[in-house]
Amino acid sequence: MQSVVIEYYAWIVAIISVYFLVFALTNAFWLWIYSKKPRVFSGDKVSVCVPARNEEENIENCLRSLMDQSYDNYEVLVLNDNSEDRTGEILDLLAKEFPDKLKVFDGKPLEEGWTGKIFAMNQLIQKTSGEYLLFTDADTFHKKDSISFAITNMKVHNADMLSGYIKEKAVTFGERITVPLIFMLTGFVLPMFLNRVTPFPFTSVAIGQYIMIKKKVFEAVGGYESMKTLISEDVFLARLIKKNGYKTIFTDCKRAAICRMYTGYTESVNGITKNIFSFLSNNTAVILTAIIGVSLFLLLPFPLFVVSLAINVMAGGWITTITVLLGINVLLMFVVWVLVSGSQHLPFSTPFLYPILFTNLLYMATLSFVRTVTGKGYMWKGRVVH
């Protein structure tokens, strides 16, 4: 009886790995053909919005890259969000150097009922004059055609909102076993074509590092007022746009910008963990189901395969059906990560580390749930977020 149950389980994980492989292939192909090269260099005004809190290490490189764009009609607005380092001083110097393009504002103290980034962005948007809004982070570096890329894809696809993964750098070992996890959803879990062919909001995703949206659409859906307490505001904005009947697109934005999201393991874990439970709408049933699913179907097959193979070898070398099925899962999950790594230009080591990646995912999902329900929250940019 026990052997039968294990064999059924092995069949399930083998089938799941085939599912992941199919969508890793189709999603990589989809992003490749769906993302158009920059070819629109003038037209409607774009307002680039950059919130900056304690960004003295990054803000100058970010803004200098935005001052040198091929698109000819844009403004850059930066909000110094009560920074405690040299961010304000650097912004003042850059504002004097680029008076025609760069506008710098001092943020108000954080009001109760708002999360920090959303409150900063809400202030910035009120200062914009463009027909299009481009939201980006202070730790991004934009290539010369960044704005043109976004405008081109918005117009080619007649979209109301655009987002996508920019090039993500993972330098340390801690980053390499953490940062690649952000590509799971669009890499091989969620079929990307569903966003285009279905009206369901859950098929829309976004990455806060790089979002372009029509200003009139943003205002029509209520802007950030409707999500001021959320942490994963980027994803919920995409879902809100879709829910209201507008068109969202998710593209390959590596040619637009580059970013090192986090420096080291601790910062990587904190940065991703704070978003997991929020991404699942703080639904306890959903996150517990996800934790069980990750444990059983992503993490467990690899050690079971190793144990099963060892038992087969010690028993005389006859490879059982269970071992073969578990081996199929291990092989295909490796191939899946090869595809994701190739598509997103991740480190060469990523596919070899995938069991560690899934272990880390389980740890972060559990931590996200515990820290949220206990009210401990996370320290981020000098503030506690829940």
Side-chain angles (χ1 to χ4, degrees):
M1 179 64 180
Q2 185 179 19
S3 177
V4 172
V5 171
I6 296 176
E7 185 169 338
Y8 276 131
Y9 168 79
W11 274 107
I12 291 171
V13 297
I15 292 170
I16 288 174
S17 64
V18 172
Y19 168 90
F20 286 155
L21 177 62
V22 168
F23 287 113
L25 285 166
T26 57
N27 284 355
F29 180 70
W30 179 265
L31 287 174
W32 177 60
I33 64 171
Y34 202 50
S35 305
K36 307 303 180 183
K37 294 181 180 180
R39 59 174 184 257
V40 178
F41 300 99
S42 63
D44 297 318
K45 188 174 184 179
V46 176
S47 295
V48 184
C49 300
V50 187
R53 177 171 170 80
N54 298 336
E55 292 286 357
E56 64 180 6
E57 299 294 328
N58 303 305
I59 192 63
E60 183 169 358
N61 286 337
C62 173
L63 295 182
R64 287 193 181 279
S65 70
L66 287 169
M67 292 298 101
D68 185 29
Q69 291 291 303
S70 58
Y71 194 78
D72 66 0
N73 188 16
Y74 72 98
E75 61 180 357
V76 179
L77 299 87
V78 187
L79 187 93
N80 177 20
D81 184 15
N82 301 279
S83 295
E84 299 162 334
D85 59 5
R86 293 183 56 251
T87 298
E89 177 186 337
I90 296 169
L91 288 175
D92 289 341
L93 292 173
L94 291 170
K96 293 177 182 178
E97 185 177 350
F98 302 102
D100 296 331
K101 286 284 187 188
L102 181 61
K103 300 176 182 179
V104 174
F105 305 94
D106 289 323
K108 301 175 185 178
L110 180 60
E111 294 181 4
E112 187 176 351
W114 289 81
T115 54
K117 181 180 179 180
I118 301 178
F119 186 60
M121 291 295 291
N122 193 58
Q123 294 173 70
L124 271 180
I125 291 165
Q126 296 172 20
K127 309 288 187 180
T128 59
S129 60
E131 290 82 18
Y132 287 83
L133 306 175
L134 178 61
F135 303 155
T136 192
D137 290 343
D139 56 1
T140 56
F141 181 87
H142 293 257
K143 299 178 182 179
K144 192 175 183 66
D145 292 335
S146 179
I147 297 176
S148 177
F149 171 85
I151 279 286
T152 298
N153 281 275
M154 288 279 284
K155 291 186 176 295
V156 167
H157 298 295
N158 192 27
D160 299 295
M161 175 180 172
L162 169 146
S163 188
Y165 290 117
I166 61 176
K167 167 65 176 173
E168 304 289 356
K169 295 174 65 177
V171 179
T172 66
F173 180 76
E175 294 164 62
R176 293 183 180 191
I177 62 172
T178 309
V179 173
L181 290 168
I182 69 173
F183 299 105
M184 275 185 58
L185 184 66
T186 57
F188 55 86
V189 177
L190 178 67
M192 295 295 293
F193 68 87
L194 290 180
N195 183 43
R196 186 165 187 173
V197 300
T198 71
F200 306 125
F202 76 87
T203 63
S204 290
V205 292
I207 305 299
Q209 296 170 320
Y210 194 82
I211 293 174
M212 178 170 278
I213 188 170
K214 293 178 180 177
K215 186 177 181 179
K216 63 180 181 181
V217 171
F218 184 80
E219 294 172 340
V221 301
Y224 281 131
E225 284 282 347
S226 60
M227 59 187 77
K228 60 185 181 181
T229 62
L230 299 177
I231 298 175
S232 300
E233 83 290 339
D234 44 8
V235 175
F236 284 93
L237 178 59
R239 294 174 183 174
L240 183 63
I241 297 297
K242 185 84 167 178
K243 182 179 179 180
N244 280 273
Y246 296 104
K247 183 178 181 181
T248 68
I249 59 172
F250 194 88
T251 61
D252 182 356
C253 301
K254 291 193 302 294
R255 70 184 72 199
I258 187 170
C259 177
R260 184 182 180 187
M261 295 178 69
Y262 311 114
T263 55
Y265 180 70
T266 300
E267 186 176 311
S268 301
V269 168
N270 287 338
I272 294 177
T273 298
K274 68 181 173 62
N275 290 290
I276 295 176
F277 199 24
S278 175
F279 175 80
L280 300 175
S281 301
N282 287 352
N283 189 309
T284 298
V286 172
I287 195 168
L288 291 179
T289 301
I291 288 172
I292 293 171
V294 169
S295 302
L296 291 178
F297 303 116
L298 297 183
L299 182 57
L300 190 57
F302 182 82
L304 281 182
F305 167 71
V306 174
V307 171
S308 181
L309 182 62
I311 291 174
N312 291 167
V313 171
M314 289 187 292
W318 179 260
I319 305 300
T320 64
T321 301
I322 291 174
T323 305
V324 171
L325 292 171
L326 292 171
I328 289 172
N329 174 275
V330 170
L331 175 61
L332 294 188
M333 289 308 303
F334 178 83
V335 174
V336 163
W337 277 106
V338 168
L339 292 169
V340 173
S341 299
S343 174
Q344 299 299 334
H345 296 179
L346 296 174
F348 174 79
S349 60
T350 301
F352 298 94
L353 297 173
Y354 91 80
I356 301 176
L357 283 165
F358 288 150
T359 304
N360 205 21
L361 175 61
L362 179 62
Y363 165 67
M364 290 191 293
T366 305
L367 183 64
S368 182
F369 174 65
V370 171
R371 283 192 169 272
T372 302
V373 298
T374 59
K376 291 184 177 180
Y378 318 88
M379 182 61 67
W380 192 250
K381 300 291 183 182
R383 292 177 176 143
V384 177
V385 295
H386 296 87

